[in-house]
Amino acid sequence: MYNHAVVARPRTTPAGKSSFEVDVVSGLSSKAKSLPSKYFYDATGSALFARITELTEYYVSRSEIGILSSNALAIGSLCPSNCALIELGAGSSRKSRILLGSTTSIGAYVPVDISGDFLQEDLIRLRKDFPHLAVHPLVCDFTEHFDLPEDIGSSPRVGFFPGSTIGNFEPQEAGRLLRHVGKTFGEGAVLVVGVDLVKDSLVLSRAYDDGQAVTARFNLNLLKRINRELDANFNLEAFKHRAFYNERESRVEMHLVSRCSQEVRVRGRVFHFGAGETIHTENSYKYTVESFQRLAAVGGWSPLASWSDGLFSVHAFANRRRKSSSGNSVVVD
Ligand code: AVI
């Protein structure tokens, strides 16, 4: 069974401005300039990210696929009978396929993504490979309130949040997101999350500043997108990519560094950049197995199991949330 994507309504902003415009203008107006990393993923950005996942230096995807494949049976055994697998940020179903192939317990698959573009082609192939699977794509921003498709009824929920995307959120936001996911999935839910690990800073900085400069192009593409969509005049030659591991904050930071003193116009507003001034474009937080379990506990999840190859970790959690007698949901210890 295959259903068309359910599309959630986009967020409205004042005076008909897109959230992209509001966020870009606000980020460039602050003292320490920044841009939200979620805007990397236009068509070119998504294609560049797909190339990043293939780079020798970017171990993240390879490691995660290795861990999922080696432990697929154990992970599959945590999926309750006739459950719905809900993938958050389902760029491609490549990783879900490993779980789908490992157990017959998954009756429905709900890929949730902000962009519907990826869904159609990939899901047609998925339908062919798993003809008995009910597929209910959901196009929405899963960081905001969302309702699961009614078609999955009361099937037990298994969340799947791969790729260490959770690392792109500030830890406090990540805790809030895990709590909100727990509330949405409800009692008895299981969550499988891929999380990148703290490691040698050279390995980390190389993963985000590769020899072929694919990550540099990925970072600079954000300026190209602003030029195209917000009538801006960033000169891409006048900015350079910088990535480094900030050990104190336990995160890789990506920046775009202004090579000279310059002014840039975005939707008629002028922004000044000093030579060497940076736009902070991404944080990628790294955790230990224990520090991530502590974070998940804040979100109401208790550990069931975790697997690691020393570079990357995959965790399984159980929702500690229960329905109280008044019908509200509460987190129990
Ligand atoms: C999507 N996300 C988990 C990637 C990461 O590793 O933080 C994005 C990325 N940025 C540069 N390279 C990859």
mmCIF file of all heavy atoms in Angstrom, residues 41 49 52 58 60 163-165 168 207-208 215 218 254 282 284 286, ligand 1:
data_model
loop_
_atom_site.group_PDB
_atom_site.id
_atom_site.type_symbol
_atom_site.label_atom_id
_atom_site.label_comp_id
_atom_site.label_asym_id
_atom_site.label_seq_id
_atom_site.Cartn_x
_atom_site.Cartn_y
_atom_site.Cartn_z
ATOM 1 N N TYR A 41 19.979 22.666 2.864
ATOM 2 C CA TYR A 41 19.480 21.573 2.021
ATOM 3 C C TYR A 41 18.509 21.993 0.918
ATOM 4 O O TYR A 41 17.379 21.517 0.858
ATOM 5 C CB TYR A 41 18.879 20.475 2.920
ATOM 6 C CG TYR A 41 19.905 19.998 3.921
ATOM 7 C CD1 TYR A 41 20.000 20.587 5.192
ATOM 8 C CD2 TYR A 41 20.836 19.023 3.580
ATOM 9 C CE1 TYR A 41 20.979 20.189 6.091
ATOM 10 C CE2 TYR A 41 21.811 18.624 4.478
ATOM 11 C CZ TYR A 41 21.875 19.217 5.728
ATOM 12 O OH TYR A 41 22.858 18.828 6.610
ATOM 13 N N PHE A 49 25.500 17.173 0.037
ATOM 14 C CA PHE A 49 25.534 16.381 1.270
ATOM 15 C C PHE A 49 25.621 14.883 0.941
ATOM 16 O O PHE A 49 26.348 14.135 1.605
ATOM 17 C CB PHE A 49 24.324 16.677 2.166
ATOM 18 C CG PHE A 49 24.367 15.863 3.424
ATOM 19 C CD1 PHE A 49 25.402 16.037 4.347
ATOM 20 C CD2 PHE A 49 23.416 14.883 3.676
ATOM 21 C CE1 PHE A 49 25.487 15.253 5.489
ATOM 22 C CE2 PHE A 49 23.501 14.093 4.824
ATOM 23 C CZ PHE A 49 24.527 14.284 5.726
ATOM 24 N N ILE A 52 29.114 14.222 0.396
ATOM 25 C CA ILE A 52 29.864 14.227 1.670
ATOM 26 C C ILE A 52 29.798 12.840 2.313
ATOM 27 O O ILE A 52 30.793 12.320 2.811
ATOM 28 C CB ILE A 52 29.292 15.302 2.640
ATOM 29 C CG1 ILE A 52 29.651 16.705 2.151
ATOM 30 C CG2 ILE A 52 29.784 15.094 4.068
ATOM 31 C CD1 ILE A 52 29.029 17.849 2.949
ATOM 32 N N TYR A 58 34.646 11.530 5.828
ATOM 33 C CA TYR A 58 33.363 11.603 6.542
ATOM 34 C C TYR A 58 32.905 10.175 6.864
ATOM 35 O O TYR A 58 32.138 9.556 6.147
ATOM 36 C CB TYR A 58 32.327 12.354 5.696
ATOM 37 C CG TYR A 58 31.092 12.771 6.487
ATOM 38 C CD1 TYR A 58 31.136 13.842 7.368
ATOM 39 C CD2 TYR A 58 29.893 12.083 6.342
ATOM 40 C CE1 TYR A 58 30.018 14.222 8.093
ATOM 41 C CE2 TYR A 58 28.761 12.455 7.062
ATOM 42 C CZ TYR A 58 28.838 13.530 7.928
ATOM 43 O OH TYR A 58 27.723 13.917 8.649
ATOM 44 N N VAL A 60 30.987 9.191 9.181
ATOM 45 C CA VAL A 60 29.694 9.140 9.871
ATOM 46 C C VAL A 60 28.709 8.139 9.238
ATOM 47 O O VAL A 60 28.224 7.219 9.909
ATOM 48 C CB VAL A 60 29.078 10.577 9.937
ATOM 49 C CG1 VAL A 60 27.647 10.554 10.444
ATOM 50 C CG2 VAL A 60 29.951 11.480 10.806
ATOM 51 N N GLY A 163 21.755 9.302 11.422
ATOM 52 C CA GLY A 163 22.627 10.300 10.776
ATOM 53 C C GLY A 163 23.242 11.301 11.712
ATOM 54 O O GLY A 163 23.918 12.219 11.279
ATOM 55 N N SER A 164 22.977 11.180 13.027
ATOM 56 C CA SER A 164 23.453 12.167 14.005
ATOM 57 C C SER A 164 22.897 13.560 13.718
ATOM 58 O O SER A 164 23.518 14.562 14.074
ATOM 59 C CB SER A 164 24.991 12.209 14.071
ATOM 60 O OG SER A 164 25.394 12.699 15.328
ATOM 61 N N THR A 165 21.723 13.610 13.082
ATOM 62 C CA THR A 165 21.064 14.902 12.874
ATOM 63 C C THR A 165 20.773 15.555 14.225
ATOM 64 O O THR A 165 20.789 16.778 14.346
ATOM 65 C CB THR A 165 19.753 14.689 12.084
ATOM 66 O OG1 THR A 165 20.106 14.049 10.850
ATOM 67 C CG2 THR A 165 19.045 15.996 11.773
ATOM 68 N N ASN A 168 22.987 18.309 15.312
ATOM 69 C CA ASN A 168 22.908 19.664 14.747
ATOM 70 C C ASN A 168 22.010 20.590 15.580
ATOM 71 O O ASN A 168 21.849 21.755 15.258
ATOM 72 C CB ASN A 168 22.444 19.633 13.288
ATOM 73 C CG ASN A 168 23.433 18.944 12.366
ATOM 74 O OD1 ASN A 168 23.064 18.093 11.570
ATOM 75 N ND2 ASN A 168 24.706 19.288 12.472
ATOM 76 N N ALA A 207 36.889 15.475 8.882
ATOM 77 C CA ALA A 207 35.567 15.011 8.408
ATOM 78 C C ALA A 207 34.727 16.186 7.909
ATOM 79 O O ALA A 207 33.821 16.011 7.100
ATOM 80 C CB ALA A 207 34.846 14.272 9.529
ATOM 81 N N TYR A 208 35.034 17.394 8.434
ATOM 82 C CA TYR A 208 34.238 18.577 8.060
ATOM 83 C C TYR A 208 35.038 19.567 7.210
ATOM 84 O O TYR A 208 34.591 20.681 6.961
ATOM 85 C CB TYR A 208 33.689 19.248 9.333
ATOM 86 C CG TYR A 208 32.644 18.375 10.001
ATOM 87 C CD1 TYR A 208 33.020 17.298 10.811
ATOM 88 C CD2 TYR A 208 31.295 18.574 9.773
ATOM 89 C CE1 TYR A 208 32.073 16.462 11.385
ATOM 90 C CE2 TYR A 208 30.332 17.746 10.343
ATOM 91 C CZ TYR A 208 30.732 16.685 11.138
ATOM 92 O OH TYR A 208 29.786 15.856 11.697
ATOM 93 N N THR A 215 32.816 19.716 1.313
ATOM 94 C CA THR A 215 32.146 20.361 2.456
ATOM 95 C C THR A 215 32.232 21.882 2.335
ATOM 96 O O THR A 215 31.292 22.596 2.700
ATOM 97 C CB THR A 215 32.753 19.875 3.789
ATOM 98 O OG1 THR A 215 32.868 18.442 3.741
ATOM 99 C CG2 THR A 215 31.893 20.264 4.965
ATOM 100 N N PHE A 218 29.550 22.838 0.034
ATOM 101 C CA PHE A 218 28.273 22.655 0.746
ATOM 102 C C PHE A 218 27.996 23.885 1.624
ATOM 103 O O PHE A 218 26.883 24.429 1.633
ATOM 104 C CB PHE A 218 28.406 21.383 1.584
ATOM 105 C CG PHE A 218 27.287 21.078 2.531
ATOM 106 C CD1 PHE A 218 26.042 20.667 2.071
ATOM 107 C CD2 PHE A 218 27.491 21.145 3.912
ATOM 108 C CE1 PHE A 218 25.026 20.347 2.960
ATOM 109 C CE2 PHE A 218 26.484 20.820 4.805
ATOM 110 C CZ PHE A 218 25.253 20.418 4.326
ATOM 111 N N MET A 254 31.171 24.966 11.923
ATOM 112 C CA MET A 254 31.478 25.407 10.556
ATOM 113 C C MET A 254 31.170 26.902 10.477
ATOM 114 O O MET A 254 30.159 27.379 11.015
ATOM 115 C CB MET A 254 30.635 24.664 9.521
ATOM 116 C CG MET A 254 30.971 23.195 9.427
ATOM 117 S SD MET A 254 30.772 22.461 7.777
ATOM 118 C CE MET A 254 29.163 23.003 7.288
ATOM 119 N N GLU A 282 27.067 26.203 11.254
ATOM 120 C CA GLU A 282 26.612 24.894 11.753
ATOM 121 C C GLU A 282 27.371 24.491 13.011
ATOM 122 O O GLU A 282 28.560 24.760 13.147
ATOM 123 C CB GLU A 282 26.828 23.802 10.695
ATOM 124 C CG GLU A 282 26.223 22.456 11.109
ATOM 125 C CD GLU A 282 26.421 21.367 10.051
ATOM 126 O OE1 GLU A 282 27.583 21.014 9.764
ATOM 127 O OE2 GLU A 282 25.419 20.888 9.514
ATOM 128 N N SER A 284 27.889 20.787 15.073
ATOM 129 C CA SER A 284 27.623 19.358 15.023
ATOM 130 C C SER A 284 28.150 18.783 16.340
ATOM 131 O O SER A 284 29.355 18.529 16.473
ATOM 132 C CB SER A 284 28.329 18.763 13.806
ATOM 133 O OG SER A 284 27.870 17.477 13.551
ATOM 134 N N LYS A 286 29.039 16.405 19.425
ATOM 135 C CA LYS A 286 29.516 15.030 19.568
ATOM 136 C C LYS A 286 29.309 14.603 21.020
ATOM 137 O O LYS A 286 29.495 15.422 21.937
ATOM 138 C CB LYS A 286 31.016 14.947 19.199
ATOM 139 C CG LYS A 286 31.350 15.574 17.832
ATOM 140 C CD LYS A 286 30.606 14.922 16.679
ATOM 141 C CE LYS A 286 30.697 15.713 15.396
ATOM 142 N NZ LYS A 286 29.834 15.212 14.326
HETATM 143 C C1 AVI B 1 23.299 16.269 8.701
HETATM 144 N N1 AVI B 1 24.357 16.369 9.709
HETATM 145 C C2 AVI B 1 24.242 15.320 10.703
HETATM 146 C C3 AVI B 1 25.716 16.531 9.164
HETATM 147 C C4 AVI B 1 26.742 16.592 10.325
HETATM 148 O O1 AVI B 1 27.653 15.776 10.302
HETATM 149 O O2 AVI B 1 26.574 17.407 11.223
HETATM 150 C C5 AVI B 1 25.823 17.778 8.310
HETATM 151 C C6 AVI B 1 27.202 18.037 7.790
HETATM 152 N N2 AVI B 1 27.805 19.185 7.805
HETATM 153 C C7 AVI B 1 28.986 19.084 7.250
HETATM 154 N N3 AVI B 1 29.184 17.841 6.917
HETATM 155 C C8 AVI B 1 28.060 17.152 7.221
#
